[in-house]
């Protein structure tokens, strides 16, 4: 019979070895495995002269030895196959990337979703639970416990290696996608580039582990000009809080909200000019929007057409400003309170006089009423794209002429401005100052020189005319 102290020491060594493996202390694990093997060998050698072990005891000891030898081999193979790190960095700010294979155009093999790995682990636990219940002796149960622990450690190591391979592949792909080395050499590397690289790498891993995103990406690849499919992809990615892009956008929104709250407090407590603080907020928002746009375009190549880029930007603006527009408007109203106060006085004056001195001949027609309704509608929108479209529609209504009813410049600015002033006064909306400023600050670049830019400029001109006259 095996000496109880020897058996206890063997089991303790094996447990210690497993614990060391789980904490990546491979050297200590190797030492414990060797010590357990030494104890097994000593027991078997002693039995050759004393013959105090039963056949079952010998089988158990040999099983201990087999499992220990197997784990030692695994540790040695792991040490041999561990990739060497490149310690020479071209720049201290360069990101540390895991070593990857030369071919990064295709994802590394054997990338499994974590849900599948969890399912395999559950099956393994159920299998060992059945075997454990059928075990007839304490030694068999101990062997099963050790075997299960080794299996779990091995699977955890495999999962960790797969994750490291996937991370290395994703980071290197992002490194090339955003031309990090080229920008570094040319001195154009910014913090936004690193943010885009990290977000793209994490999102790329997420996408490869998501069957529904893979399916949508395939549909987008087949039908890149189908607006419905493009919107479906964008809305699913930008509204799923589990997706890294949406999770990052949530953090960006929280950061901007904090900046707005801080600007308000400083303005109230210290009397600082709130519009100076607003410049940094504008810059932060534009940087955030650009990061999200570039990452989404990089994740889905078919989005890199002029039409799809515009649509992508519109959806991003819609999601991003849905949580921030009212906060931004409240900050703008604080910064423009003097202008808003003057406009409010003009509106009250107009109500008392029952008639505006801007254009006495211009009556409150159905066209004017429709324009006023649209002006009120602008305040309910949060997407700059929608607000700009509504503003253009107002100008098309007011610029209605016999020659051209489809373009807001069919009537000259000298004729259009009095009509617009009349609409602003009759709307009773002093907060339109902040709405116009919001559209001006966050107008997409491609809209600035078009009809939308002209409409916002005219609206701002009307406000200036009313508040300065």
């Amino acid at each position: 019979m095996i000496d109880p102290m020897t058996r206890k020491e063997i089991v303790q060594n094996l447990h210690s070895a497993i614990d060391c493996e789980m904490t990546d202390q491979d050297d200590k694990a190797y030492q414990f495995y060797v010590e357990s093997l030494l104890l097994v060998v000593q027991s078997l050698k002693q039995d050759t002269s004393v013959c105090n072990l039963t056949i079952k005891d010998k089988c158990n000891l040999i099983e201990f030895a087999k499992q220990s030898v197997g784990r030692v081999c695994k540790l040695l193979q792991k040490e041999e196959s561990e990739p060497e790190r490149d310690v020479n960095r071209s720049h201290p700010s360069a990101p540390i990337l895991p070593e990857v294979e030369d071919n990064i155009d295709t994802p590394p093999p054997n990338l499994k979703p974590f849900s599948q790995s969890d399912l395999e682990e559950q099956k393994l636990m159920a299998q060992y639970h059945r075997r454990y219940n059928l075990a007839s002796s304490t030694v068999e149960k101990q062997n099963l416990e050790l075997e299960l622990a080794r299996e779990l450690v091995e699977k955890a190591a495999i999962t960790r290696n797969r994750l490291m391979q996937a991370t290395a592949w994703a980071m290197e792909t992002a490194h090339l996608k955003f031309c990090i080395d080229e920008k570094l050499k040319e001195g154009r590397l910014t913090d936004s580039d690193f943010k885009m690289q990290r977000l793209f790498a994490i999102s790329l891993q997420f996408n490869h582990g998501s069957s529904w995103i893979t399916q949508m990406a395939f549909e987008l690849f087949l039908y890149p000009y189908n607006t419905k499919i493009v919107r479906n992809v964008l809305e699913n990615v930008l509204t799923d809080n589990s997706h890294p892009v949406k999770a990052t956008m949530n953090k960006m929104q929280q950061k901007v909200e904090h900046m707005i709250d801080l600007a308000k407090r400083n303005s109230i407590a210290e009397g600082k000019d709130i519009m100076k603080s607003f410049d940094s907020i504008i810059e932060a928002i534009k940087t955030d929007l650009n990061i999200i746009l570039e990452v989404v375009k990089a994740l889905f190549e078919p989005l890199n057409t002029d039409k799809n880029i515009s649509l992508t930007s519109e959806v991003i603006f819609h999601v991003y400003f849905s949580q921030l527009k009212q906060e931004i408007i409240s900050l703008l109203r604080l910064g423009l309170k003097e202008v808003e106060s003057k406009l409010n006085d003009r509106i009250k004056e107009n109500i008392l006089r029952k008639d505006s001195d801007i254009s006495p001949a211009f009556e409150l027609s159905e066209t004017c009423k429709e324009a006023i309704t649209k002006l009120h509608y602008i305040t309910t929108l949060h997407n700059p794209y929608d607000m700009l479209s509504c503003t253009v529609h107002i100008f098309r209504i007011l610029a209605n002429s016999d020659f051209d009813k489809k373009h807001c410049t069919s009537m000259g600015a000298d004729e259009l401005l009095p009509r617009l002033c009349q609409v602003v006064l009759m709307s009773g909306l002093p907060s339109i100052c902040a709405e116009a400023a919001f559209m001006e600050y966050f107008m997409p670049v491609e809209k600035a020189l078009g009809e939308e830019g002209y409409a916002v400029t005219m609206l701002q001109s009307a406000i200036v005319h009313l508040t300065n006259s």
Side-chain angles (χ1 to χ4, degrees), residues 18-32:
I18 292 171
D19 291 340
C20 290
E21 276 198 76
M22 295 183 71
T23 56
D24 290 332
Q25 301 180 55
D26 293 344
D27 292 338
K28 288 187 177 180
Y30 177 83
Q31 181 181 349
F32 282 120

Side-chain angles (χ1 to χ4, degrees), residues 362 364-378 390-391 393-398 419-420 422-424 427 429:
F362 183 63
L364 193 61
S365 62
E366 291 299 321
T367 299
C368 184
K369 290 179 181 178
E370 184 180 355
I372 292 172
T373 302
K374 288 293 183 182
L375 202 62
H376 278 270
Y377 181 58
I378 286 177
C390 191
T391 306
H393 185 67
I394 291 172
F395 276 79
R396 287 178 177 173
I397 293 172
L398 297 178
R419 290 193 173 196
L420 183 58
Q422 179 77 9
V423 169
V424 171
S427 68
L429 280 176

Side-chain angles (χ1 to χ4, degrees), residues 190-206:
T190 64
D191 185 56
S192 294
D193 294 313
F194 286 122
K195 290 179 180 178
M196 286 188 283
Q197 181 195 23
R198 289 193 294 269
L199 179 56
F200 175 82
I202 297 171
S203 301
L204 193 62
Q205 286 181 265
F206 183 92

Side-chain angles (χ1 to χ4, degrees), residues 34 58 103-104 129 131 167 174 262 267 291 295 301 404 465:
V34 171
K58 293 178 182 178
N103 182 13
I104 62 169
H129 185 68
R131 291 175 60 188
T167 302
L262 187 62
S267 175
I291 289 173
V295 169
E301 289 295 335
D404 187 355
H465 178 76

Side-chain angles (χ1 to χ4, degrees), residues 241-310:
N241 287 318
S242 65
H243 196 285
V245 171
K246 174 56 175 169
T248 301
M249 185 181 288
N250 292 341
K251 292 295 183 182
M252 290 174 171
Q253 291 169 327
Q254 293 173 8
K255 175 194 67 178
V256 173
E257 287 175 348
H258 175 72
M259 294 175 69
I260 292 174
D261 290 339
L262 187 62
K264 289 179 180 178
R265 288 199 300 268
N266 290 340
S267 175
I268 295 172
E270 303 176 14
K272 292 183 178 180
D273 185 3
I274 204 166
M275 296 309 292
K276 291 182 179 179
S277 303
F278 193 64
D279 291 339
S280 60
I281 296 174
I282 294 172
E283 185 64 28
I285 290 174
K286 290 183 176 180
T287 301
D288 291 346
L289 291 171
N290 183 62
I291 289 173
I292 297 296
L293 177 62
E294 293 301 321
V295 169
V296 172
K297 284 164 49 183
L299 287 171
F300 303 98
E301 289 295 335
L303 297 179
N304 286 278
T305 63
D306 291 340
K307 180 181 177 182
N308 285 345
I309 288 174
S310 178

Side-chain angles (χ1 to χ4, degrees), residues 219-427:
E219 292 177 358
L220 180 62
F221 178 78
L222 292 178
Y223 308 102
Y225 301 107
N226 189 313
T227 304
K228 183 178 179 181
I229 292 177
V230 173
R231 281 192 176 275
N232 185 43
V233 171
L234 293 172
E235 289 172 359
N236 275 278
V237 170
L238 295 173
T239 57
D240 180 8
N241 287 318
S242 65
H243 196 285
V245 171
K246 174 56 175 169
T248 301
M249 185 181 288
N250 292 341
K251 292 295 183 182
M252 290 174 171
Q253 291 169 327
Q254 293 173 8
K255 175 194 67 178
V256 173
E257 287 175 348
H258 175 72
M259 294 175 69
I260 292 174
D261 290 339
L262 187 62
K264 289 179 180 178
R265 288 199 300 268
N266 290 340
S267 175
I268 295 172
E270 303 176 14
K272 292 183 178 180
D273 185 3
I274 204 166
M275 296 309 292
K276 291 182 179 179
S277 303
F278 193 64
D279 291 339
S280 60
I281 296 174
I282 294 172
E283 185 64 28
I285 290 174
K286 290 183 176 180
T287 301
D288 291 346
L289 291 171
N290 183 62
I291 289 173
I292 297 296
L293 177 62
E294 293 301 321
V295 169
V296 172
K297 284 164 49 183
L299 287 171
F300 303 98
E301 289 295 335
L303 297 179
N304 286 278
T305 63
D306 291 340
K307 180 181 177 182
N308 285 345
I309 288 174
S310 178
L311 184 56
T312 303
S313 178
E314 181 182 346
V315 176
I316 290 173
F317 273 55
H318 179 79
V319 177
Y320 187 89
F321 285 108
S322 62
Q323 303 295 324
L324 294 176
K325 198 251 184 168
Q326 292 306 319
E327 293 289 334
I328 296 172
I329 290 295
S330 66
L331 185 65
L332 284 170
R333 292 188 69 178
L334 284 175
L336 299 171
K337 59 184 177 182
E338 292 183 4
V339 177
E340 185 174 320
S341 177
K342 291 180 181 179
L343 182 59
N344 191 42
D345 291 341
R346 288 300 306 271
I347 291 173
K348 290 179 180 179
E349 180 185 342
N350 183 67
I351 294 174
L352 292 174
R353 292 173 57 182
K354 303 293 185 181
D355 189 19
S356 172
D357 59 351
I358 300 298
S359 179
F362 183 63
E363 298 179 357
L364 193 61
S365 62
E366 291 299 321
T367 299
C368 184
K369 290 179 181 178
E370 184 180 355
I372 292 172
T373 302
K374 288 293 183 182
L375 202 62
H376 278 270
Y377 181 58
I378 286 177
T379 63
T380 66
L381 302 173
H382 64 264
N383 186 352
Y385 278 86
D386 296 335
M387 296 172 70
L388 290 168
S389 297
C390 191
T391 306
V392 169
H393 185 67
I394 291 172
F395 276 79
R396 287 178 177 173
I397 293 172
L398 297 178
N400 187 6
S401 69
D402 296 334
F403 301 100
D404 187 355
K405 298 182 180 181
K406 295 184 178 180
H407 200 277
C408 67
T409 58
S410 60
M411 180 180 289
D414 292 339
E415 297 173 290
L416 190 58
L417 186 60
R419 290 193 173 196
L420 183 58
C421 290
Q422 179 77 9
V423 169
V424 171
L425 287 176
M426 297 300 295
S427 68

